[in-house]
Amino acid sequence: MKKQQQHGGAGGCPDTRPPAAAAAAAGGGPGPGGGWRRRRPLSLLPFLSLRDYGFCMAALLLFCLGSLFYQLNGGPPHFLLDLRHYLGNSTYLDDHGPPPQKVLPFPSQVVYNRVGKCGSRTVVLLLRILSEKHGFNLVTSDIHNKTRLTKNEQMELIKNISTAEQPYLFTRHVHFLNFSRFGGDQPVYINIIRDPVNRFLSNYFFRRFGDWRGEQNHMIRTPSMRQEERYLDINVCILENYPECSNPRLFYIIPYFCGQHPRCREPGEWALERAKLNVNENFLLVGILEELEDVLLLLERFLPHYFKDVLSIYKNPEHRKLGNLTVTVKKTVPSPEAIQILYQRMRYEYEFYYYVKEQFHLLKRKFGLKSHIRKPRPRPEFFIPSPLETEEPIDDEEEDDEKWLEDIYKSGGKEVLLSPFRTLGTDTASGSNNGPRYKKTKQVL
């Protein structure tokens, strides 16, 4: 009896509700076996009717279409952006205060417009190691041999350099660029030069026979060079005044410091004096390759955030093995007569070289560094420089690799200028003893 009461209508007791209500309670619907059953539109929203549900869907559709319209016509409404900006600033600044500014070292913008065949590959190899060690941005270029630029090319290159993440060091074979001329912050320049005749001979044979990095290295660099040109005797090239061994091709080092002006490529006093002026005003350090270790030591003192520990890396035996691969092969010495002619053709180059070398030695003495070479005797007007002053072997193939590499590294050098430079000597071009005129670069957060 209790069982029948619990189950109500299912157990035999008559259902006293109207037929329509009973059918609805039983889950019936239109069709066979039941009447009409009213469904809820959503189980999560039982209070909505079908009309309310349709209204919500239409409003959501209109909202989506409106958002799409705003995005297609310049983004979301400005009041939403302002509201987001206000809420974002107020909540973050109130809780945490202003974000800390990135502290940059000074200088944080350095340019190494490296002179060809003056130890630049050795220094670039060091810079790659140092950039990973100290975390500065080493910016290089895929363009290696375009040193003279048009005005538009200068503007484009300066823009690309200036927008690099700081602190950066940019390096490329390019003549001096005046950033301030195009409204940019003038970076600090560094560079290295070497004895002009030695540089010329190194470049002459490198173009023809490459270095120890590979037997076909020279073929890749000068694939169109004819065999008679490749094996042209250096004395014939000089004595018979071939274009490669005469001006303006021999006027090579000074334009890197003179700049992009067309007169900078004309051998003469104007380019020489302008190069000296730029050295004094824009170059922190210009070194001579013959004293490379002292150059690296001074760079470490002047730019520790770039060059800290550079000397220990440079003296590491593993690094010396890599440096051995960048030495030019098959170099021979021209006759004394040919060297005399080269010296006369390169007299402006030598005047600039001696000027830089003298200032470099003054700077070394100021910092307590002693030159490891004997004091040179006064040079006559047409002194014949020995092409072996830079210690590189004549017969590369017979020289011991380790000793050769050690000699190469001992021969490296640099000369210094700019702020320490100006306190030591007089500006040749202007005759003044004013301090450095470069200004501190703008720090970008």
Side-chain angles (χ1 to χ4, degrees), residues 202-258:
S202 180
N203 183 68
Y204 183 88
F205 291 103
F206 177 73
R207 292 185 66 247
R208 286 160 171 77
F209 308 112
D211 51 32
W212 286 106
R213 288 179 293 175
E215 292 291 335
Q216 302 301 321
N217 181 268
H218 58 290
M219 297 295 186
I220 297 174
R221 290 183 175 273
T222 54
S224 61
M225 182 178 288
R226 296 173 299 176
Q227 290 299 307
E228 55 269 25
E229 181 182 359
R230 190 176 303 278
Y231 293 96
L232 176 65
D233 184 83
I234 183 68
N235 292 299
V236 174
C237 181
I238 297 170
L239 297 177
E240 297 188 11
N241 202 24
Y242 278 65
E244 187 176 357
C245 300
S246 59
N247 283 315
R249 296 281 291 275
L250 295 179
F251 193 69
Y252 184 86
I253 297 176
I254 288 178
Y256 276 88
F257 301 88
C258 179

Side-chain angles (χ1 to χ4, degrees), residues 142-209:
D142 294 332
I143 303 174
H144 303 289
N145 297 317
K146 189 174 179 57
T147 58
R148 309 168 187 176
L149 308 179
T150 65
K151 183 177 180 180
N152 290 335
E153 289 172 338
Q154 293 179 55
M155 294 174 61
E156 184 67 22
L157 180 57
I158 288 174
K159 178 182 177 181
N160 292 338
I161 297 174
S162 300
T163 55
E165 182 182 357
Q166 299 183 35
Y168 69 74
L169 191 151
F170 173 79
T171 177
R172 172 180 161 178
H173 293 300
V174 64
H175 294 168
F176 174 78
L177 293 168
N178 189 347
F179 282 59
S180 59
R181 178 189 175 194
F182 299 98
D185 291 329
Q186 190 71 7
V188 169
Y189 275 83
I190 60 174
N191 216 322
I192 302 176
I193 64 174
R194 72 190 291 189
D195 180 276
V197 165
N198 287 335
R199 194 219 67 81
F200 164 74
L201 294 178
S202 180
N203 183 68
Y204 183 88
F205 291 103
F206 177 73
R207 292 185 66 247
R208 286 160 171 77
F209 308 112

Side-chain angles (χ1 to χ4, degrees), residues 375-391:
K375 184 177 180 179
R377 293 173 293 180
R379 297 176 181 266
E381 183 179 358
F382 291 106
F383 172 77
I384 302 177
S386 169
L388 299 183
E389 282 184 359
T390 303
E391 300 173 10

